[in-house]
Amino acid sequence: MSLEVLIWIALAVLLVMGTPIFVSLGMASITVLLLSDIPLSLVMIDLIKVSDMFPLLAVVGFVFAGALMERGGMAAQIVEVASMLVGHIRGGLGIVTILGCMFFASMIGSGPGTVAAMGSIMIPSMIKRGYSPEYAAGVSATGGTLGILIPPSNPMLVYGIIANVSISALFTAGFVPGALVGTCLMFTAYTIARRHGYKGTMHSYTMAEFGRALLKNIWSLMAPVVILGGIYAGICTPVEASVVAVWYALFVGFFITKKLSLKEVFNAMKLANISTGTILIVVGVSTIFGRFLTMYQIPQQLAAQMMLYTTNPILILLLIAALLFFLGMFMETLATIVVLAPVFLPIIKSVGIDPVFFGVFWVITNEIALLTPPLGVNLFIAMNLSNLPLERVAKGACPYIFLLILVVFFLIFFPDVVTSLPKALGMY
């Protein structure tokens, strides 16, 4: 058996056994390296290289900032304004949830973090107003997927590093698809609510009341402008913007909302350490895995084999989408990126697919992965918040999963929806 086949078999067996992804990658890589002529000293060299990946610091900053914003009451202020804007519409609380997720996603870049922040507020509110628990959990879990699409996005950061693509271009490319997906999700939430007779808040606000709410919550509403504005204005890099986000969250939490305490900051720090530690370990061991793939030219071999059957970019994207839909049920978003991006990039480049488009396409397919068991991270968070069994939460998310699949197909046939904005701004 060749080493190229052995590494994939070892990885598959370890994953099926339920071994954590970073352990599976590391064990499969080292086992094969022991049987090859590649010196093991390269393992330490590759792990040290991870510490030199400066853009990864942005992931740490945005995760920490998101935890601070949730505990500092910024999420609640966003919900208040969104509720005044669209809460009176039939099924308005579902629309408020999606809108709130879109806004909060533009500050933290995390899908599960967005579900936790918005779901903890909106799920109890919807159930209290007569919405079914399945609807409340389903719309919250789905809205949270926007956390990895609307910039800043942690998966886009990691993809940009691996693919050597401009992170600013990726962030800009995520705006139009993010708005498209968010609008479609809100329409779906409205349609389901209308069919079941769910009502809104039954209270319309005057422009004066809405204006006062905007003024009261202006610090939270300005967060995306401060964070993303610095990146696009060329004032700061994504890493520096993540640090700005942390300081901004601390300022608002301590001096504006006054809901942050040293204890909450410490808890947010612990959460950020756990989350980012996991990410960095996965990226670290994936470099060893990538080293083997590169030295044995496995991506090039796979690209050559695939192109024997088709060189049509649409068919190749459909095949990759099907594979990512399947793998997303078992592998976390960042894991699929660090493992498969080095494999797919030579293939998509050889048939003329834009790497920036491919990054956004990948993230949208992984939005579906956040909603599909047995992994389905967003489902588990919504399950805990709603006290429902997993199958009932998944049932509530099913209409939105179907919608996201349609969006993926739409973008495959109309890629300019993704790339037109960054190209118009001359980002690449």
Side-chain angles (χ1 to χ4, degrees), residues 14-38:
L14 289 166
L15 289 173
V16 169
M17 291 171 59
T19 309
I21 182 66
F22 72 92
V23 177
S24 300
L25 282 170
M27 289 181 64
S29 301
I30 292 176
T31 299
V32 174
L33 289 177
L34 288 171
L35 300 175
S36 71
D37 55 357
I38 302 173

Side-chain angles (χ1 to χ4, degrees), residues 217-303:
N217 302 318
I218 190 65
W219 287 97
S220 295
L221 297 174
M222 285 296 293
V225 178
V226 173
I227 297 167
L228 296 176
I231 297 175
Y232 298 126
I235 299 172
C236 56
T237 65
V239 174
E240 292 164 343
S242 71
V243 178
V244 170
V246 170
W247 282 107
Y248 192 88
L250 288 170
F251 173 77
V252 174
F254 275 116
F255 300 108
I256 306 301
T257 64
K258 298 181 180 179
K259 291 188 176 181
L260 267 185
S261 63
L262 291 177
K263 181 180 179 181
E264 290 294 344
V265 172
F266 180 71
N267 289 335
M269 195 177 295
K270 287 198 299 183
L271 175 63
N273 284 337
I274 293 170
S275 300
T276 57
T278 303
I279 293 170
L280 294 177
I281 291 172
V282 171
V283 173
V285 295
S286 72
T287 58
I288 305 169
F289 189 81
R291 164 81 69 173
F292 179 86
L293 297 183
T294 301
M295 294 188 74
Y296 280 82
Q297 296 187 323
I298 293 176
Q300 291 80 356
Q301 293 176 29
L302 182 60

Side-chain angles (χ1 to χ4, degrees), residues 70 110-120 123 137 140-141 370 375-388 390 393:
E70 179 187 355
S110 167
T114 302
V115 180
M118 291 294 116
S120 61
I123 289 176
S140 298
L370 292 172
L375 186 60
V377 179
N378 283 20
L379 294 182
F380 283 100
I381 295 174
M383 179 183 73
N384 292 331
L385 293 173
S386 61
N387 295 317
L388 290 177
L390 181 63
V393 179

Side-chain angles (χ1 to χ4, degrees), residues 302-303 306 310 312-328 336 340-341 343-349 351 353 357-358 361-363 365-366 408-409 412:
L302 182 60
M306 183 174 286
T310 180
N312 187 312
I314 291 177
L315 289 178
I316 286 176
L317 284 173
L318 288 172
L319 289 171
I320 292 174
L323 179 61
L324 291 177
F325 289 157
F326 174 73
L327 291 177
T336 61
L340 295 175
V343 176
F344 288 150
L345 282 167
I347 299 173
I348 62 109
K349 289 178 181 178
V351 295
I353 297 172
F357 163 79
F358 189 64
F361 161 82
W362 196 317
V363 168
T365 61
N366 275 275
V408 170
F409 289 152
I412 288 175

